[in-house]
Amino acid sequence: MEPFVRLKAVAAPYELANVDTDRIIPARFLRYARSAEYASYLFRDVRFASDGTPRAEFFLNRPEYAGARILVAAENFGCGSSREGAVWALAESGFRAWIAPSFGEIFHENTFKNGLLPVTLPAERAARIRALLAAKPGAELTIDLSAQTIALPDGSVEVFEIDAFRKECLLNGWDDIDLTLKHEAAIAAYESRQRNETPWLAGSMIQTRNGGRSS
Amino acid sequence: MGLSLYEKIWARHAIAKGAGERSLLYVDRHLMHDGSFHAFSALEASGRRLRRPDACFATPDHYIPTRNRAAGIAGIADATVRGRVEGLESNARKHGVMLFGFDDPRQGIVHVVGPEQGVTQPGMVLVCGDSHTSTHGAFGAMGFGIGASEVAHVMATQTLWARKAKTLRVTVDGALTKGVSAKDVILAIIAKIGTAGGNGHAIEYAGSAIRSLSMAGRMTVCNMSIEAGARCGMVAPDDTSCEYLSGRAFAPKGTDWDKALAFWRTLPSDADAKFDREATIDGSALVPQVTWGTSPEYGGAVTDVVPDPERESDVVRRESMLRALAYMDLAPGTPLAGLPMQRVFIGSCTNSRIEDLRAAAQVLRGRKVSIPTMIVPGSGLIKQAAESEGLHRVFAEAGAEWLGAACSMCVGTNGDLASAGERVASTSNRNFEGRQGQGVRTHLMSPAMAAAAAVRGAICDVRTMLD
Ligand code: SF4
């Protein structure tokens, strides 16, 4: 994966709370394998009218946000389903980082898994950034992951917290499957314990094939 | 200090430490469905193999048609959709995964079939690439939903990097009154704590009202933990859960059963366990619930009116309420009871079990529906059980449509969608904009309440229809 170190880019503010993943990508697109097409699914039903014309009032349709790569959202952004398509639709549209007071947990995890950065800030600080950006559409933010800072258009700097494990993965662009496989001994030890202590969990799925009650 | 149920399961499965607060968590069971193709492709692209096919279980649900099932997979008109169902079957065969496929009478919604088959058991870590995996917590398991990349990680390693959640105990005491069900309990909890209320937490549901619920009711409650922001929600195992599991196809047998019982008895939270947060609800005071907005927290008692956003002091929340009311085409002060509906959907992993169908049938018996009503059982075996009780005749005589097991109009990925502008009385779990079709307005409620809405053609307090 491409490492995430520093990002200087136009940031788009989105005022709505509880933006769910159905809004980010409607379920009818999930049947398709990931491709560049995912960019066209982003916020599809709120961004475009049913005949495909862009809705002028939708924030991402403003020309100033055409090159935006950072999204600054409100509470509980990405709540709802586990669909990773929500992250893919944002990523294929050029976004690499999102800032909000809180995130849907699975969406938050999916973000890291794609080498992208979710930044959690207290509500009033996230709101201040949205207000600054709204006052100056097209303004840029600079996110420095090693320093855990965001430089704002008014010259001030926000500091953010991030899980040390995820930070390391992002900075190095690590695929954590490789990282995990270094723990093979611990995995194997659990599996042998499972066979001894809870043998019904070791292999029972393919042994028993018939039967079943429904109520 | 004692440990909670969540902490006990965590301690047993956290097998290594990473940087920060991450631990590597071993996964005992991995459930798969027809949306799992993204992860299978990623696994294959990486050249890795499925580590524990014996710990996986698969059944298609999201892309399965509810009508014309006799035509088989070939009867699915949309080639991409058909490819998803065929893809799961070929992936399961290729990787040696236990599959209840399209033609298997035991096929159904993965969160209904897993428990029904005894795949889900107390004390295990169970994951699935679907957010409603929280359902399985009803058995005292740690069940949580994951995205496609995490699914691929579990496929390759049988583990996940996770951060220990904080704990939130929600205690519901008191006896539920007639016409009030598990769905009303969880909708009331979400209305109280909010859709972000459980963020970062694992919920344990406790109290006499929870203990008195059947496994179906507990699954309904745990199912919607994700709508309260919590990735996992659980109920301590007890006699009800053990009796439910006894004799199920994949439940332990013989001496393993005795060992399992002894292990399961050690799992409930210790009396002196500490929770990071607590919330309580008086179960005896609950009345049937209905949502009026586009977030599951936007709901209240059927006896209430649509609230006025202008009285909301929080700006962000006020904006969001205004938007929800605009989408729902509702004015503040409108009574919820009497609001006309155009369609009814009874089904989904929240409410498609035999108990749910019986509750709907109790209302529909001897009455007629006045709007299109779909009743979609959660599994083929539930369909059989309902038919052996004659419920299908009750539904047919009432004029409701009795269909094949699938996710159906909960999400509409199989094509079961409502039309723009319609209001749907739905027993599913999400009322997001567009969830049941573009421009469709979803009102969440219990199966009995949905059946009552079907008869009246409007939201109505089901308690007036029960004798
Ligand atoms: S029934 Fe609905 S919520 Fe449940 S798994 Fe299917 S689509 Fe998801």
Side-chain angles (χ1 to χ4, degrees):
Chain A
M1 258 179 323
E2 193 191 333
F4 188 114
V5 181
R6 194 166 172 279
L7 175 65
K8 181 172 191 288
V10 171
Y14 192 14
E15 271 306 326
L16 195 63
N18 295 322
V19 170
D20 57 73
T21 53
D22 277 80
R23 177 184 293 267
I24 300 174
I25 179 170
R28 64 182 182 279
F29 299 118
L30 303 177
R31 68 184 65 161
Y32 303 113
R34 180 176 179 173
S35 71
E37 273 298 292
Y38 266 70
S40 71
Y41 308 153
L42 180 68
F43 295 119
R44 178 71 155 246
D45 292 341
V46 278
R47 193 168 148 212
F48 300 102
S50 41
D51 64 359
T53 50
R55 293 182 201 268
E57 73 279 10
F58 188 71
F59 76 112
L60 280 187
N61 290 331
R62 294 185 62 149
E64 297 92 328
Y65 299 137
R69 306 188 74 194
I70 302 171
L71 191 66
V72 188
E75 278 82 359
N76 210 20
F77 184 76
C79 61
S81 90
S82 61
R83 62 189 69 170
E84 202 156 311
V87 171
W88 300 338
L90 284 161
E92 295 293 349
S93 304
F95 288 95
R96 294 203 67 213
W98 21 98
I99 302 170
S102 57
F103 294 95
E105 282 183 47
I106 308 177
F107 175 83
H108 187 249
E109 201 61 40
N110 289 343
T111 303
F112 285 125
K113 285 286 186 176
N114 284 272
L116 307 174
L117 175 67
V119 176
T120 309
L121 283 182
E124 59 295 347
R125 287 161 60 193
R128 187 174 84 89
I129 301 180
R130 292 198 304 273
L132 278 175
L133 294 171
K136 219 175 145 193
E140 291 187 328
L141 298 180
T142 305
I143 304 178
D144 182 334
L145 178 56
S146 332
Q148 298 180 206
T149 57
I150 307 170
L152 307 188
D154 67 350
S156 63
V157 171
E158 284 284 355
V159 176
F160 63 89
E161 296 297 320
I162 183 170
D163 179 270
F165 175 80
R166 287 298 171 211
K167 178 178 175 180
E168 206 179 322
C169 290
L170 283 180
L171 285 173
N172 294 291
W174 279 337
D175 165 356
D176 53 353
I177 296 185
D178 286 329
L179 215 64
T180 304
L181 291 172
K182 295 190 182 133
H183 294 277
E184 175 58 37
I187 300 174
Y190 179 89
E191 286 171 341
S192 110
R193 186 172 164 209
Q194 191 189 51
R195 279 190 297 276
N196 293 327
E197 293 180 12
T198 53
W200 60 91
L201 291 180
S204 60
M205 298 287 288
I206 35 186
Q207 285 160 11
T208 2
R209 282 188 173 254
N210 298 310
R213 335 180 322 207
S214 60
S215 55
Chain B
M1 197 182 70
L3 295 177
S4 66
L5 167 61
Y6 175 82
E7 289 164 328
K8 290 180 191 184
I9 301 177
W10 178 274
R12 196 175 176 85
H13 292 83
I15 58 171
K17 278 225 157 289
E21 294 164 45
R22 296 274 160 164
S23 292
L24 191 63
L25 208 59
Y26 194 87
V27 172
D28 298 308
R29 285 288 179 264
H30 183 184
L31 306 186
M32 299 166 171
H33 56 82
D34 43 8
S36 302
F37 64 97
H38 294 292
F40 272 115
S41 311
L43 181 77
E44 282 173 15
S46 72
R48 297 181 177 107
R49 63 176 188 90
L50 183 61
R51 183 182 178 98
R52 288 275 314 264
D54 62 302
C56 301
F57 173 83
T59 189
D61 50 13
H62 287 69
Y63 295 105
I64 292 284
T66 43
R67 302 182 177 90
N68 192 26
R69 290 284 281 269
I73 295 185
I76 304 177
D78 183 300
T80 313
V81 169
R82 190 168 62 241
R84 293 310 159 217
V85 179
E86 287 167 344
L88 178 69
E89 308 213 340
S90 64
N91 275 324
R93 272 193 296 275
K94 183 153 84 187
H95 295 273
V97 169
M98 182 76 206
L99 167 81
F100 288 2
F102 186 98
D103 294 321
D104 193 308
R106 300 166 297 181
Q107 168 275 336
I109 305 173
V110 69
H111 306 310
V112 172
V113 176
E116 179 174 85
Q117 294 294 329
V119 172
T120 310
Q121 296 162 22
M124 56 169 50
V125 171
L126 178 153
V127 301
C128 173
D130 187 278
S131 59
H132 289 97
T133 310
S134 57
T135 311
H136 306 267
F139 290 83
M142 188 195 297
F144 55 92
I146 54 179
S149 297
E150 287 191 296
V151 170
H153 188 281
V154 175
M155 285 174 166
T157 68
Q158 203 59 30
T159 62
L160 266 183
W161 288 102
R163 195 174 168 160
K164 194 169 169 186
K166 294 201 176 77
T167 52
L168 163 61
R169 178 163 61 187
V170 178
T171 305
V172 190
D173 277 319
L176 303 181
T177 53
K178 193 164 66 176
V180 178
S181 68
K183 183 63 163 288
D184 302 300
V185 171
I186 187 63
L187 286 174
I189 292 172
I190 295 165
K192 180 175 170 128
I193 71 173
T195 45
N199 278 2
H201 289 76
I203 301 181
E204 178 168 346
Y205 301 97
S208 60
I210 301 291
R211 296 255 76 85
S212 311
L213 291 174
S214 65
M215 287 317 297
R218 294 178 190 185
M219 284 188 258
T220 300
V221 170
C222 290
N223 173 273
M224 289 189 73
S225 300
I226 186 73
E227 274 65 52
R231 238 171 144 173
C232 99
M234 50 220 303
V235 174
D238 61 4
D239 290 345
T240 305
S241 26
C242 296
E243 269 159 36
Y244 177 99
L245 281 167
S246 160
R248 304 253 162 198
F250 296 102
K253 305 272 155 42
T255 53
D256 276 350
W257 173 255
D258 299 327
K259 275 199 229 165
L261 272 186
F263 168 56
W264 297 343
R265 300 260 180 244
T266 67
L267 293 169
S269 295
D270 298 329
D272 56 345
K274 278 254 178 303
F275 291 82
D276 295 296
R277 273 172 61 205
E278 300 261 8
T280 56
I281 296 243
D282 178 3
S284 65
L286 286 179
V287 302
Q289 305 280 308
V290 181
T291 65
W292 47 262
T294 52
S295 165
E297 73 186 37
Y298 290 156
V302 64
T303 47
D304 277 354
V305 298
V306 174
D308 186 353
E310 296 309 328
R311 290 168 65 177
E312 171 62 51
S313 53
D314 183 87
V315 196
V316 176
R317 194 174 147 88
R318 181 163 64 234
E319 273 306 307
S320 149
M321 283 173 78
L322 282 168
R323 223 204 128 92
L325 291 188
Y327 180 85
M328 295 298 286
D329 191 27
L330 285 173
T334 309
L336 291 170
L339 191 65
M341 296 287 120
Q342 282 76 46
R343 197 176 283 282
V344 172
F345 170 64
I346 297 177
S348 88
C349 56
T350 315
N351 282 127
S352 61
R353 298 177 183 83
I354 189 73
E355 291 84 345
D356 300 315
L357 302 178
R358 287 180 192 137
Q362 195 193 345
V363 175
L364 292 175
R365 191 168 281 123
R367 295 190 171 108
K368 295 267 181 234
V369 303
S370 59
I371 47 178
T373 300
M374 295 172 71
I375 304 181
V376 183
S379 74
L381 292 186
I382 291 172
K383 188 172 168 96
Q384 284 175 13
E387 292 179 358
S388 71
E389 293 179 20
L391 301 187
H392 62 312
R393 276 194 297 276
V394 175
F395 299 145
E397 281 159 19
E401 208 181 351
W402 173 238
L403 296 157
C407 292
S408 182
M409 202 181 279
C410 174
V411 68
T413 38
N414 71 343
D416 290 345
L417 290 165
S419 312
E422 285 185 335
R423 288 187 196 284
V424 184
S426 179
T427 66
S428 53
N429 43 53
R430 288 187 173 141
N431 50 3
F432 298 155
E433 277 184 35
R435 173 80 177 183
Q436 297 185 301
Q438 290 179 58
V440 175
R441 300 173 180 131
T442 303
H443 295 270
L444 303 175
M445 60 191 79
S446 72
M449 283 285 289
V455 172
R456 294 283 159 80
I459 292 179
C460 90
D461 188 338
V462 67
R463 294 175 300 177
T464 63
M465 294 173 71
L466 300 169
D467 26 56

